[in-house]
Amino acid sequence: MNIRLLHKDEQPPLDLLLLADPSLKLVNDYVVRGECYVATLQQDIVGVYVLLPTRPETVELVNIAVAEMYHNQGIGKELIKHAIEMAKKQDYKTMEIGTGNSSIGQLALYQKCGFRIAGIDRDFFTRHYEEEIYENGIQCRDMIRLFIDL
């Protein structure tokens, strides 16, 4: 697997980015303001993430996603490790990430990668998304905010 910065003349893999965030408006905004990285196997894009500067010395990892047929193969963990390396190279001191209260697998993965819970943005998803989101039989309402010191 190879992880690389998306070239300026390449179209971002919207199908994957929308797996992580169903809002096309937000996804397009993240891609324009951040750096989009893709994971490839042979010629296929199998994973993606965006590094989004938020405050001085702080970057947020957004829209991390892996194609469904490649789940449970360690690609998500490799993407997170790569994102941490890229953030360190750019002299960021803190990386943040947010996920839904219903995203149980993602919450476990982020904590396994060293992230710690910083707080909860109550009703984030009901305020910012028109359609209700359900995962694992749970309504996604709250944003769980996590961070890691780099």
Side-chain angles (χ1 to χ4, degrees), residues 50-124:
V50 177
L51 282 182
L52 184 65
T54 55
R55 296 185 302 281
E57 300 187 335
T58 302
V59 67
E60 185 171 0
L61 176 57
V62 297
N63 287 97
I64 183 167
V66 174
E68 288 187 43
M69 67 184 297
Y70 294 97
H71 283 191
N72 301 312
Q73 296 181 28
I75 294 172
K77 192 172 198 173
E78 288 302 313
L79 288 170
I80 293 169
K81 286 169 46 178
H82 187 270
I84 290 170
E85 287 175 29
M86 293 298 100
K88 285 180 179 178
K89 284 183 181 179
Q90 296 177 41
D91 292 324
Y92 288 106
K93 303 295 183 224
T94 304
M95 179 179 283
E96 298 175 332
I97 195 165
T99 194
N101 61 282
S102 55
S103 302
I104 296 166
Q106 292 90 328
L107 278 169
L109 174 62
Y110 302 152
Q111 291 177 85
K112 287 177 187 177
C113 290
F115 284 83
R116 301 195 54 206
I117 295 173
I120 299 171
D121 186 346
R122 293 179 60 86
D123 297 319
F124 177 89

Side-chain angles (χ1 to χ4, degrees), residues 36 38 44 46 64 81 83 95 106 116 121 131 135-136:
C36 185
V38 293
D44 296 330
V46 298
I64 183 167
K81 286 169 46 178
M95 179 179 283
Q106 292 90 328
R116 301 195 54 206
D121 186 346
E131 304 226 359
E135 293 175 292
N136 302 304

